[in-house]
């Protein structure tokens, strides 16, 4: 695989790390970055993450062989409609959105004749940080990238996007849009919602009681994801709201059961929940 | 400060780390360990954490100048009544329990004439691991230890326990039993309840859907505390149940409000919650 011209729309943590990884693997002749924040693009250029930049999205994708849309979910639709008239007929388009049903729906609405070369993708990697300064070439090593190709997607486009991600050191897995959104709601989106909500509850108790002063390492780990970009997670919550609300309802029912067991001193019940959870968590880390 | 004979009842992560830290600081002539699991005591001796051991609790505390009760909360009452007849008249007793009201109530019931030399304490430190093999001398460095002395507590006993913890590198803070239990319910006990409950919810979805296979670093950090000892956390949940249920109710109300905002696409509301939480969390880590 060799890509002559790669356009990264949105040179943040994910877009920047992908550009770095592909440069390291020497599979791109030229990487052009595009975004709305000039200072971020200048930093990307200075860091050697990209070779050129432009804030003109049509210019960015013109003559690009591969276009990676790495913007927040809330900007996908407008990016798709902006690039449509400027895309080369052979250009392969992919994205990195954390929810897939919403992106796919917007692709159907706005990509028109390019839809068959659109490969929806989601790298399961990230940190709580944002921006190109936080990007690094090894972010995707040994991580999973989920592709959710459509019935209309050209298998050659899927094959190329698969190879592209494999060059970053990631393992590529295909699944349906629905399965993706359900799994990610459970393992990523709900935990973020819970972490944000807990920290906000505690912040409201904070003033009088110096709550955070007495928090330890467990709390630090548990709430790390509440330092993630609020706008990005707002977009994810709205884009995948039905799957998130569904798993949240299950969680709430289970939590109510646990609270009831604590209230009534039902030791066997509490122990069985904690033991099952520990077993699952230990297995996951092992 | 110099302690001739220190007895550690329960040589686990906390008891073992305290013994290591005090030996490193050279403030104890002799450390005797006591517990119910012979293999753990043998390992503690082999690791040099203790100088002797016994499974006879009366023998362990006889002639001890300081007795540290580092057993799970569910065993405090029986340990207090077992040691009472064997304690030296000058012996200072302290504990490391994660909830204080229940321990204090049991001390009133069972320590009798020794109550004035009992200093309730809680080091805010730990990991998700258990047992003496997981102990290390630097566990308490730059961490906080909360003392909740009683009206009856001899100020000299409090001063000695303060010094003892300062020798581990910890910062010692005094507060009321009620304030301790409220703060810990918020920053430690509730997060553990949420992490256990979430992992259990997901484990029940797991079979068909390979949920955990697609979990990433954020999930790993968020759920690390669900690998903690189930029995220990069962004891904490029951010992501090009213404070935990109180903060859980607040959390549930706030979470319901957030879920409602997500369901109705109330962007401003979602963003304000996420932004407030991020600000609080960033401040906490900084």
């Amino acid at each position: 695989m060799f890509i002559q011209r790669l356009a990264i729309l949105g040179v943040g943590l994910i877009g920047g790390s992908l550009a770095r990884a592909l440069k390291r693997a020497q599979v791109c002749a030229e990487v052009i970055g595009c975004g709305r924040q000039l200072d971020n693009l200048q930093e990307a250029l200075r860091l050697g993450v990209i070779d050129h930049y432009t804030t003109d999205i049509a210019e960015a994708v013109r003559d690009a062989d591969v276009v990676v849309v790495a913007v927040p979910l809330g900007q996908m639709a407008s990016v798709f409609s902006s690039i449509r008239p400027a895309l080369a007929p052979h250009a392969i388009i992919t994205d990195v959105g954390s929810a897939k049903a919403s992106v796919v729906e917007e692709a159907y609405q706005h990509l028109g004749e390019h839809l068959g070369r659109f490969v929806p993708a989601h790298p399961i990697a990230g940190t709580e940080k944002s921006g190109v300064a936080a990007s690094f070439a090894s972010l995707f090593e040994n991580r999973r990238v989920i592709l959710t190709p459509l019935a209309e997607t050209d298998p050659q486009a899927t094959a190329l996007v698969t190879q592209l991600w494999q060059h970053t050191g990631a393992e590529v897995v295909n699944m349906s849009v629905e399965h993706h959104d359900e799994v990610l709601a459970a393992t990523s989106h709900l935990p973020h919602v819970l972490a944000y909500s807990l920290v906000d509850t505690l912040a409201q108790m904070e003033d009088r009681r110096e709550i955070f002063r007495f928090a330890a390492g467990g709390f630090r780990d548990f709430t790390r994801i509440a330092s993630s970009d609020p706008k990005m997670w707002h977009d994810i919550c709205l884009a995948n709201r039905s799957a998130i609300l569904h798993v949240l309802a299950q969680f709430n029912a289970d939590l109510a059961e646990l609270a009831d067991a604590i209230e009534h001193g039902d030791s066997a019940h509490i122990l069985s929940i904690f033991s099952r959870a520990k077993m699952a968590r230990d297995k996951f880390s092992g």
Side-chain angles (χ1 to χ4, degrees), chain A residues 52-69:
Chain A
H52 313 279
Y53 67 75
T54 172
T55 55
D56 178 340
I57 197 162
E59 188 188 319
V61 303
R62 194 165 295 130
D63 305 322
D65 303 297
V66 176
V67 174
V68 178
V69 186

Side-chain angles (χ1 to χ4, degrees), chain A residues 17-18 20-21 24 125 135-143 168-169:
Chain A
S17 294
L18 177 60
R20 285 182 192 264
R24 187 181 61 171
S135 69
F136 54 101
S138 61
L139 177 59
F140 309 109
E141 279 173 16
N142 304 312
R143 310 308 290 271
T168 69

Side-chain angles (χ1 to χ4, degrees), chain A residues 233-252:
Chain A
W233 282 93
H234 157 276
D235 287 7
I236 292 171
C237 284
L238 294 189
N240 200 26
R241 76 175 91 175
S242 75
I244 294 171
L245 293 172
H246 181 76
V247 70
L248 174 58
Q250 272 180 275
F251 170 76
N252 276 334

